[in-house]
Amino acid sequence: MLAVVTGASAGIGEAFAIRLASEGWDLVITARRRQRLETLAERLMAAHHNKVRVLVADLVEPTEASGLSQILSTEEVDLLVNNAGFGGYGPFAEKDPEVINDLIAVHISAVSQLTRAVLPGMVKRNTGAVINVASILAFSGTMPPQPLPYRATYAGAKAYLVAFTQALAGELAGTAVRVEVCCPGLVDTEFHADFDLSNVTLPVMDPAEVVNAAMKGLARGEVVCIPSLEDPGMIDQLGEIERTMLLTASSGGLATRYRPS
């Protein structure tokens, strides 16, 4: 079995690699930092005798994302974990446009390309899975920027991952290929290196806990996995509200309030 993990040099990605190696998976691990990847690969191979291949790629760069996609399209990938990402927090009107473009490239473009690269093979073999690591901030659009961070692009990108995964699950219905989007809250990783989590009153998860939730959720057939949500029925309720609104809006013409007075 071959698993590919992006953003594997630290945090949730590293935890995925450790978990999968312990379960006997061969791995392709990718990120920007070669030394960290090679150190992790050596450690995993020594401990579990798996094959671990390092592919250095900066998914901000379109050519590198495209090159990685090309490589993966030739492999029999059984599991793809799209985990690479960064926050890019800050007021949108003050944000460097390059940072906005980079965030979209990593969270949206690269995820779409890599998933497209491996999915045809999975469908042909009728086996495989894709886990997209998003964030609970995907559902935060109506929340004010305080106490949450300024996050317009980040939250929008993560919301894309939720909708993308849900729609893809519908396309794959009737096959044995599974897709899941995992939406953790605060996780103790380098991602939050600029924040002092010691004074945070909200629960802070360990990366291994997020990975365990994602893997259990995938086994349970969950399309949306929110590790800290006790009642998964809330996800179903939200989906039902969305479907009702879509069907109701689609069945009518111009709403009364928008008609000429």
Side-chain angles (χ1 to χ4, degrees):
M1 297 185 297
L2 177 63
V4 178
V5 182
T6 71
S9 60
I12 295 173
E14 181 182 19
F16 262 111
I18 293 170
R19 167 69 177 266
L20 293 168
S22 72
E23 294 181 352
W25 291 75
D26 291 330
L27 295 172
V28 172
I29 54 175
T30 180
R32 295 172 299 162
R33 296 174 287 191
R34 178 181 294 278
Q35 185 57 55
R36 285 200 178 192
L37 289 175
E38 291 180 345
T39 299
L40 176 61
E42 291 170 4
R43 178 156 57 99
L44 296 179
M45 288 188 289
H48 305 292
H49 308 290
N50 314 69
K51 294 179 182 178
V52 183
R53 184 160 34 131
V54 168
L55 292 177
V56 178
D58 184 353
L59 298 180
V60 162
E61 301 296 334
T63 55
E64 296 194 28
S66 178
L68 180 59
S69 297
Q70 187 63 38
I71 292 171
L72 297 186
S73 69
T74 66
E75 305 275 351
E76 288 195 1
V77 177
D78 299 291
L79 173 64
L80 170 63
V81 180
N82 285 309
N83 166 75
F86 66 98
Y89 297 135
F92 184 80
E94 301 172 13
K95 209 68 193 169
D96 185 336
E98 187 173 342
V99 173
I100 294 171
N101 291 337
D102 288 351
L103 193 148
I104 292 170
V106 173
H107 292 264
I108 296 179
S109 299
V111 169
S112 303
Q113 287 185 52
L114 296 178
T115 302
R116 176 60 179 82
V118 303
L119 206 58
M122 291 181 178
V123 172
K124 183 178 180 179
R125 298 188 304 274
N126 199 34
T127 184
V130 177
I131 297 176
N132 296 319
V133 179
S135 166
I136 201 168
L137 291 178
F139 307 99
S140 71
T142 61
M143 297 286 288
Q146 296 296 338
L148 296 177
Y150 289 91
R151 63 197 182 281
T153 308
Y154 180 81
K158 293 306 189 182
Y160 168 85
L161 290 181
V162 173
F164 171 69
T165 305
Q166 290 174 317
L168 197 54
E171 292 185 22
L172 295 169
T175 76
V177 180
R178 297 165 293 164
V179 289
E180 176 192 77
V181 59
C182 181
C183 303
L186 283 173
V187 185
D188 189 8
T189 69
E190 291 179 0
F191 187 91
H192 294 112
D194 295 333
F195 297 89
D196 181 7
L197 297 181
S198 62
N199 296 320
V200 173
T201 57
L202 298 173
V204 180
M205 287 191 175
D206 182 83
E209 292 180 303
V210 176
V211 172
N212 186 58
M215 297 301 289
K216 280 194 170 183
L218 187 68
R220 290 168 55 93
E222 294 180 359
V223 175
V224 179
C225 164
I226 302 179
S228 56
L229 185 64
E230 190 64 38
D231 179 11
M234 293 183 70
I235 301 172
D236 297 331
Q237 292 170 17
L238 179 60
E240 185 60 34
I241 291 171
E242 290 176 337
R243 287 188 294 274
T244 299
M245 183 176 67
L246 175 63
L247 293 173
T248 302
S250 299
S251 63
L254 186 65
T256 304
R257 66 187 180 280
Y258 298 130
R259 294 173 186 169
S261 54

